[in-house]
Amino acid sequence: MAKLQGHIERITFSSDENGFSVCKLKVKGEQDLVTIVGNMVNPVPGEFVELDGNWGIHAKFGNQFQVKTYTTLVPATQSGIQKYLGSGLIKGIGPVMAERIVNHFGIKSLDIIEKSSDRLCEVTGIGQKRIQAIKAAWDEQKEVRSVMVFLQSHGVSAAYAARIFKTYGQDAIHLVQENPYRLARDIFGIGFKAADAIAERLGMEKQSPERIQAGIEYILHELSNDGHVCYPKEDLCEKAVNLLEVEKNAVLKALLNSSKQGRLVLETIDDTLFQSKTELPQVVFLKKYHVSETGIAENLKRLKHSMKSIRPIDADKAVDWVKKQIKIVLSTNQTEAVKRSLNEKILIITGGPGTGKTTIINAILRILKAAGAKILLAAPTGRAAKRMSEATHERAETIHRMLDYSMKEAGFKKNNNNPLKCDALIIDEASMVDTVLMHHLLKAVPNGATLILVGDVNQLPSVGPGSVLNDLIQFGMFHTVILDTIFRQAKKSLIIVNAHRINKGMFPILANDNKNSNFYFIQKEAPEEVLSTILDLVQKRIPDTFGYDPVDDIQVLTPMHNGMAGATHLNQELQKILNTNGVAIQRGNREFKISDKVMQIRNNYDKHTYNGDIGRITDINFSEQEVQLNFDGKQVVYDFSSLDEIVHAYAVSIHKSQGSEYPVVIIPIVAQHYILLQRNLIYTAVTRGKKLVVLVGTKKALAMAIRNEKSSNRHTRLCLRLKS
């Protein structure tokens, strides 16, 4: 085995996923830089390293030193120290400040920071506040590095070390050794499989109760990502046996223990009230989903059987009055919806685009305001709330903002003890509201309020677990008005006409020869052709022909994340042609640049950013290790360690596009996506387009999707719970 010493000149590539790095090393006496490759814990420019490994020749990249083991030492030269400090390793020190420190203290710079940090005030631009920040960051970095080395030696990604340290502090190593499975529960991004690999290296037995319980929870979390609120016990046991490679009895025992500990709920709902004299199979819930689903049922019952706070209104007179006020003719179904809103305590209004949902909301608002009622309007996403506000000329908020989340209380301020102040609550895009959010929403609705849920039940169900709107309609005890008439103005839009055709299982009308059309289909067979066509459409054809901005106005929506026409690869290729900014930070295989279009992929209540929010990167501060983003005019700052909460958004999955509208939508439809190709997926994607929709792919794949009306059934017990 060969040995090599030198200082790291620059990092060519470093993966957060597995720690694999490619670096350029300056070796004493060698004129050319040496390429070193291997798993290295967060390599930093300027570090002096001693390496053990082997020389090899890569077919494409030539001579390389393949690292097996290595030792990190502090830099020994002034230039090395300057590079080390300016690399962004220490929060508060950027390249400029690093140069000033090294110019002043020279080779002693690191000793000064370590032992005599007060002397940093001798450097221009460094005051007491910055000295404290630098010292704290230096001490934390030492701790983080020790955690990194420990975790890396046990197979976990270096990317999560800072987050693990932030969560557990100096107890990180002890807590991980005690129960590595807690990582899967506590640290966003670390799943059961990574925790299981650590546990195996620490000598934990396959049969250990902690492992089996963690494995069951992991399976239920994965199933919740697929939309399931609960799962049949027998099917869950089968999945656990296959994943964990243990006996079924061990799984059953672990299920009972988790149930006793209050982490899971095992439940049987009697079906005899409304079906045959049978008992339904036992199902298993993660605790929070059981609490949420039972809470929804209880609060709906409470609301339905409470007196209305709005004074009695003559529905016929009110409808005649409002028609004159807004100067329109209401269809039969629209009239029914308005009348029902005045008589029912809970009302559901569902219909596709162009069927007049906004007209109904405006009519209801006019009548209730005239009656002196206090009305609140809300939607699940910022974009949907903004659209609702523009359509009604009234204030509309996101549900999260309306319920007012408090970090201090770790929950919403608006709840059953502190309800919303309203006589009527109208929720738009209700199909997007998942089980947990609906539970918190209903808790906060006062007894006397009228609840009106407006949505399109034919769209994809919520990103989060459950299919609440569909379950409430299936339940049949809350009045539902179905809007199915497309109005004359809407019939002029081929987007709307084709959306309804797709929803009915009919092939869309293709009018590619009509220059005034807003719906186009471009036939391309190979995924490579689909990709190149999309890139050309975004960069040239659509901006040149219609004048739309390629980043702000055009959104690529794709059924899948993987593959040539999946979101991951599309984002890489679109970023290359749409963002040439040179200021960037590498996070694993993703490179974030200033001006990048990005999407938040988890709820961050602290920053008031939520799953699906789209924004732009406005600044990258290497000195403070922060990235600044703009979400619809709201400035948000992220630490480098939190960047796994965002992904590029030049292309997004159709699921993530729910509740949003874009001027232009481009949709790849290829046979490789056949697993996910279904009618409601294409319907949802097409209805996101406001001005222009372009499908790129094969008619065969499109026909396959339209024929497939079997959307995957989600396991919930809400409908049964309401009936029983």
Side-chain angles (χ1 to χ4, degrees):
M1 191 175 285
K3 287 187 178 293
L4 197 64
Q5 284 188 350
H7 73 261
I8 296 174
E9 185 71 22
R10 65 176 181 269
I11 314 298
T12 305
F13 174 80
S14 183
S15 169
D16 282 348
E17 302 303 317
N18 55 23
F20 179 79
S21 302
V22 179
C23 308
K24 294 293 185 179
L25 193 73
K26 178 63 178 172
V27 179
K28 190 175 181 180
E30 294 287 337
Q31 187 175 356
D32 295 330
L33 297 176
V34 175
T35 301
I36 60 172
V37 300
N39 289 336
M40 290 175 275
V41 180
N42 195 28
V44 176
E47 277 185 327
F48 190 83
V49 289
E50 291 182 345
L51 311 169
D52 291 312
N54 298 303
W55 289 97
I57 298 176
H58 190 279
K60 185 176 179 182
F61 301 110
N63 209 25
Q64 296 180 338
F65 188 83
Q66 295 164 345
V67 180
K68 297 299 181 187
T69 62
Y70 72 102
T71 305
T72 302
L73 304 173
V74 294
T77 65
Q78 281 195 201
S79 63
I81 291 170
Q82 184 176 322
K83 197 176 289 286
Y84 182 73
L85 288 176
S87 66
L89 179 76
I90 309 301
K91 196 171 184 179
I93 302 178
V96 174
M97 196 56 68
E99 184 179 3
R100 288 184 195 168
I101 291 170
V102 173
N103 283 344
H104 189 79
F105 295 112
I107 202 77
K108 295 181 180 178
S109 296
L110 298 182
D111 281 338
I112 294 293
I113 295 172
E114 173 80 30
K115 300 170 185 173
S116 309
S117 58
D118 287 346
R119 288 193 60 196
L120 288 170
C121 66
E122 297 171 20
V123 179
T124 305
I126 298 184
Q128 282 300 320
K129 191 174 181 182
R130 179 167 281 202
I131 289 173
Q132 291 172 7
I134 291 171
K135 180 60 176 168
W138 178 265
D139 292 341
E140 182 176 297
Q141 179 58 33
K142 285 200 302 183
E143 291 288 344
V144 169
R145 184 56 72 97
S146 66
V147 172
M148 277 183 170
V149 172
F150 167 77
L151 293 172
Q152 187 76 6
S153 67
H154 290 90
V156 78
S157 158
Y160 298 115
R163 184 163 286 186
I164 292 167
F165 182 79
K166 192 181 281 187
T167 305
Y168 300 142
Q170 294 181 348
D171 293 331
I173 293 174
H174 166 70
L175 291 171
V176 172
Q177 285 175 322
E178 185 180 68
N179 181 10
Y181 294 105
R182 69 187 304 146
L183 290 171
R185 288 197 292 264
D186 299 342
I187 312 296
F188 173 71
I190 295 184
F192 169 79
K193 291 181 179 178
D196 200 33
I198 298 170
E200 187 178 359
R201 287 182 172 88
L202 290 170
M204 190 168 279
E205 295 290 329
K206 269 193 171 185
Q207 301 288 337
S208 75
E210 293 90 350
R211 177 176 184 266
I212 300 172
Q213 285 178 258
I216 292 168
E217 286 183 39
Y218 162 73
I219 293 167
L220 285 170
H221 276 295
E222 288 295 295
L223 290 166
S224 74
N225 289 337
D226 291 334
H228 301 294
V229 178
C230 58
Y231 210 69
K233 179 181 165 185
E234 286 301 311
D235 295 341
L236 178 65
C237 285
E238 186 180 336
K239 286 180 179 290
V241 167
N242 292 334
L243 173 72
L244 303 170
E245 298 176 339
V246 295
E247 296 294 325
K248 184 178 178 180
N249 284 339
V251 173
L252 291 170
K253 187 176 179 181
L255 270 173
L256 285 173
N257 287 337
S258 292
S259 177
K260 287 175 185 175
Q261 293 165 11
R263 303 189 68 85
L264 305 178
V265 176
L266 281 78
E267 184 181 68
T268 305
I269 294 181
D270 195 338
D271 201 15
T272 57
L273 283 173
F274 53 93
Q275 219 175 47
S276 57
K277 301 281 183 180
T278 60
E279 201 175 71
L280 289 174
Q282 200 168 31
V283 292
V284 184
F285 290 81
L286 287 167
K287 177 74 173 179
K288 69 174 179 178
Y289 296 132
H290 186 264
V291 168
S292 296
E293 195 175 86
T294 54
I296 289 171
E298 289 164 4
N299 282 296
L300 285 171
K301 179 182 176 183
R302 169 181 64 83
L303 287 173
K304 186 172 173 62
H305 296 294
S306 299
M307 293 289 291
K308 288 168 72 78
S309 59
I310 300 170
R311 65 173 175 79
I313 298 171
D314 186 314
D316 290 324
K317 286 183 180 177
V319 168
D320 290 339
W321 173 81
V322 83
K323 282 180 182 177
K324 293 172 187 172
Q325 289 289 311
I326 57 180
K327 297 187 174 96
I328 60 159
V329 177
L330 295 174
S331 70
T332 304
N333 284 352
Q334 284 181 314
T335 302
E336 184 196 359
V338 176
K339 287 182 178 180
R340 289 282 182 181
S341 73
L342 307 178
N343 297 322
E344 300 287 337
K345 198 69 172 24
I346 298 172
L347 175 67
I348 299 167
I349 301 168
T350 180
T355 56
K357 297 191 294 291
T358 302
T359 301
I360 292 170
I361 293 173
N362 278 320
I364 293 168
L365 279 171
R366 287 286 186 104
I367 294 168
L368 294 182
K369 282 182 77 175
K374 179 170 174 52
I375 309 149
L376 290 179
L377 306 178
T381 68
R383 291 194 170 206
K386 186 178 179 182
R387 204 167 61 247
M388 191 182 194
S389 184
E390 289 168 351
T392 60
H393 304 291
E394 299 286 344
R395 186 184 179 206
E397 296 180 290
T398 64
I399 296 171
H400 289 97
R401 188 170 290 282
M402 182 179 69
L403 296 179
D404 194 9
Y405 190 86
S406 164
M407 286 299 294
K408 186 178 177 182
E409 298 169 25
F412 292 107
K413 289 182 182 178
K414 295 296 182 183
N415 51 41
N416 49 324
N417 296 319
N418 180 30
L420 296 163
K421 292 178 173 58
C422 64
D423 300 304
L425 173 61
I426 303 176
I427 302 294
D428 199 10
E429 296 284 2
S431 64
M432 287 184 64
V433 185
D434 63 32
T435 299
V436 175
L437 185 57
M438 184 62 83
H439 165 57
H440 288 295
L441 173 67
L442 293 176
K443 273 202 305 185
V445 181
N447 288 344
T450 296
L451 176 66
I452 301 172
L453 301 174
V454 183
D456 186 348
V457 78
N458 294 308
Q459 282 187 33
L460 291 168
S462 57
V463 175
S467 50
V468 180
L469 186 67
N470 186 59
D471 284 350
L472 297 187
I473 292 171
Q474 293 297 320
F475 173 45
M477 295 297 285
F478 305 119
H479 197 90
T480 301
V481 178
I482 299 171
L483 305 173
D484 51 14
T485 303
I486 309 176
F487 286 91
R488 188 174 61 195
Q489 190 65 28
K491 283 181 180 176
K492 295 178 182 177
S493 167
L494 209 50
I495 294 173
I496 291 175
V497 170
N498 280 336
H500 286 272
R501 286 178 67 86
I502 290 167
N503 192 40
K504 292 174 183 174
M506 299 164 67
F507 202 81
I509 297 166
L510 305 180
N512 286 5
D513 296 334
N514 183 354
K515 291 183 179 179
N516 296 319
S517 176
N518 61 5
F519 188 100
Y520 295 92
F521 183 92
I522 300 174
Q523 176 80 17
K524 294 293 175 185
E525 293 289 335
E528 294 82 1
E529 291 181 311
V530 171
L531 174 64
S532 63
T533 302
I534 289 173
L535 297 179
D536 189 39
L537 284 166
V538 173
Q539 188 180 26
K540 295 177 183 175
R541 288 167 64 178
I542 291 176
D544 290 351
T545 306
F546 299 97
Y548 291 112
D549 183 272
V551 178
D552 291 332
D553 295 334
I554 301 174
Q555 185 63 58
V556 180
L557 302 180
T558 178
M560 295 186 79
H561 290 284
N562 300 323
M564 185 72 70
T568 302
H569 190 243
L570 277 165
N571 273 312
Q572 290 170 353
E573 297 303 312
L574 286 164
Q575 185 195 39
K576 287 177 189 174
I577 63 171
L578 297 177
N579 189 0
T580 56
N581 197 299
V583 183
I585 176 172
Q586 189 81 32
R587 299 301 290 175
N589 294 327
R590 290 198 297 269
E591 184 181 56
F592 291 109
K593 300 179 179 182
I594 290 179
S595 298
D596 263 342
K597 184 179 182 180
V598 294
M599 174 183 276
Q600 177 80 13
I601 58 169
R602 67 178 295 224
N603 290 337
N604 188 321
Y605 296 106
D606 188 22
K607 299 183 186 301
H608 299 289
T609 54
Y610 303 105
N611 193 350
D613 285 356
I614 287 181
R616 297 285 284 272
I617 294 177
T618 55
D619 188 37
I620 299 175
N621 188 324
F622 292 95
S623 170
E624 297 299 318
Q625 297 182 16
E626 292 175 343
V627 174
Q628 185 167 299
L629 296 98
N630 183 321
F631 288 100
D632 277 335
K634 179 179 65 181
Q635 298 296 324
V636 181
V637 176
Y638 281 85
D639 288 330
F640 283 0
S641 62
S642 300
L643 288 180
D644 53 352
E645 291 189 15
I646 62 170
V647 296
H648 292 102
Y650 300 102
V652 301
S653 71
I654 295 169
H655 279 85
K656 288 286 189 184
S657 72
Q658 288 171 263
S660 295
E661 276 187 352
Y662 314 94
V664 181
V665 164
I666 301 173
I667 310 161
I669 311 242
V670 294
Q672 284 77 4
H673 292 164
Y674 75 92
I675 296 172
L676 285 176
L677 287 179
Q678 56 197 42
R679 187 183 298 172
N680 62 352
L681 188 87
I682 305 302
Y683 173 76
T684 300
V686 168
T687 55
R688 300 309 90 205
K690 212 169 169 187
K691 305 284 188 183
L692 181 66
V693 170
V694 183
L695 279 60
V696 184
T698 68
K699 291 178 182 177
K700 182 180 177 183
L702 179 58
M704 186 191 308
I706 293 169
R707 282 197 303 270
N708 180 15
E709 61 178 327
K710 293 181 181 176
S711 56
S712 52
N713 289 325
R714 296 183 165 196
H715 287 286
T716 80
R717 284 295 180 268
L718 180 57
C719 198
L720 299 172
R721 200 178 299 285
L722 287 164
K723 288 182 178 179
S724 63

